Amino acid sequence: MEKGSTNLNGLLSDKDFLKLEKEYRFLKRAREFYRGSMNELERECYAVVDIETTGLNPEENEIIEIGALLIQEREIKDVFSTLISGSSPIPPEIEGLTGIKDEFLKNEPSISQVLPSFLKFIGEATLVVHNVDFDIVFLKTHISKILKTELNNKSICTLKVAKVLLPNLGNYKLHTVAEYLKIPISTRHRAIGDAEITYQIWMKFLTLLKDKKINTKSDLEKLLIMV
């Protein structure tokens, strides 16, 4: 996303807002108050990430799509979204689930081309993922095997947070949590669509955590220690 454009929430970018602040001084005061009222968790830089794969085994199966949203002070600042070509056909059950077909991937970059760009995109941001034990394990396995380096970013699992904040749900699948929180679901089982839903969930969780006086990363770690 280009700096100076309107972000995905329809809000003015920093550059546009600064122009208005020169004319209307109260906007600067309002913005400073808003930022000053944010706690540590709200101010954190996050990369909300989702992937699609050809199966459940990170040692054998491939990543065929990565979607990520870069978040700063609750706002979407940039978008990463790409399909990824693979070395084996997409299984019929994965095609049925995601709608991704082999012909979609023919001219797409390989995983070895995508991963460096992805790592540059996320930088040192804290990763927010719905089910860290799947997405992060897949990413770590492929990054280690292909790039011979490690994914060391800290991560937050919205599935685990949901178990604490919403203890009476029947299950904690992404769509179940989203529906409970009244978040519209337009696209499922595509990486950027699921990343956008995860972002909406995390924004609502930040508010719920703040209400519970969970304001810092340390507070959150203590809350999740038994999950």
Side-chain angles (χ1 to χ4, degrees):
M1 182 178 297
E2 233 178 84
K3 268 193 169 179
S5 62
T6 302
N7 68 31
L8 295 185
N9 287 325
L11 300 175
L12 288 172
S13 69
D14 288 347
K15 185 177 179 181
D16 294 327
F17 207 106
L18 287 172
K19 289 179 183 177
L20 287 174
E21 283 179 350
K22 290 180 180 178
E23 186 173 356
Y24 301 104
R25 296 286 182 179
F26 70 88
L27 290 176
K28 183 177 181 181
R29 292 196 297 271
R31 180 177 243 207
E32 287 173 351
F33 175 80
Y34 175 65
R35 286 180 167 170
S37 68
M38 285 186 174
N39 62 26
E40 179 184 307
L41 286 177
E42 291 174 302
R43 287 193 299 268
E44 181 78 2
C45 182
Y46 299 105
V48 184
V49 179
D50 188 84
I51 64 172
E52 300 301 332
T53 69
T54 58
L56 302 177
N57 188 334
E59 296 292 344
E60 298 177 2
N61 299 123
E62 298 179 278
I63 299 173
I64 54 175
E65 189 174 32
I66 298 178
L69 302 172
L70 195 65
I71 312 301
Q72 184 71 57
E73 295 179 342
R74 284 181 165 265
E75 292 186 10
I76 297 172
K77 295 297 184 181
D78 207 349
V79 179
F80 183 96
S81 181
T82 184
L83 289 165
I84 302 166
S85 64
S87 59
S88 58
I90 296 174
E93 62 272 19
I94 299 300
E95 182 180 324
L97 183 68
T98 65
I100 300 172
K101 301 179 180 181
D102 288 319
E103 54 262 37
F104 294 178
L105 308 182
K106 284 181 181 177
N107 298 315
E108 298 298 334
S110 67
I111 188 68
S112 61
Q113 293 172 303
V114 168
L115 286 178
S117 299
F118 172 71
L119 289 178
K120 183 178 180 181
F121 177 85
I122 63 173
E124 297 180 356
T126 298
L127 307 182
V128 176
V129 180
H130 197 78
N131 194 1
V132 160
D133 293 338
F134 180 80
D135 296 66
I136 297 299
V137 170
F138 247 96
L139 286 167
K140 282 187 172 182
T141 300
H142 284 73
I143 288 168
S144 176
K145 184 169 24 177
I146 296 167
L147 301 183
K148 310 301 181 187
T149 189
E150 302 299 321
L151 177 64
N152 294 317
N153 297 56
K154 292 184 178 180
S155 62
I156 293 171
C157 181
T158 50
L159 187 152
K160 292 179 180 178
V161 178
K163 287 184 177 181
V164 175
L165 295 180
L166 312 173
N168 298 317
L169 287 186
N171 66 71
Y172 293 92
K173 294 177 181 178
L174 184 67
H175 72 273
T176 304
V177 177
E179 287 172 359
Y180 180 85
L181 295 171
K182 296 181 171 53
I183 294 169
I185 299 173
S186 56
T187 306
R188 282 288 285 115
H189 300 298
R190 290 300 301 269
I192 199 63
D194 284 355
E196 197 273 335
I197 294 170
T198 304
Y199 160 69
Q200 297 288 352
I201 288 172
W202 181 234
M203 291 303 100
K204 287 183 178 288
F205 281 175
L206 283 174
T207 299
L208 292 174
L209 289 166
K210 194 172 188 176
D211 290 343
K212 292 180 176 293
K213 311 300 182 189
I214 306 298
N215 295 310
T216 69
K217 289 176 279 186
S218 177
D219 292 340
L220 184 60
E221 288 171 4
K222 291 174 185 174
L223 184 72
L224 299 177
I225 199 164
M226 297 302 291
V227 180

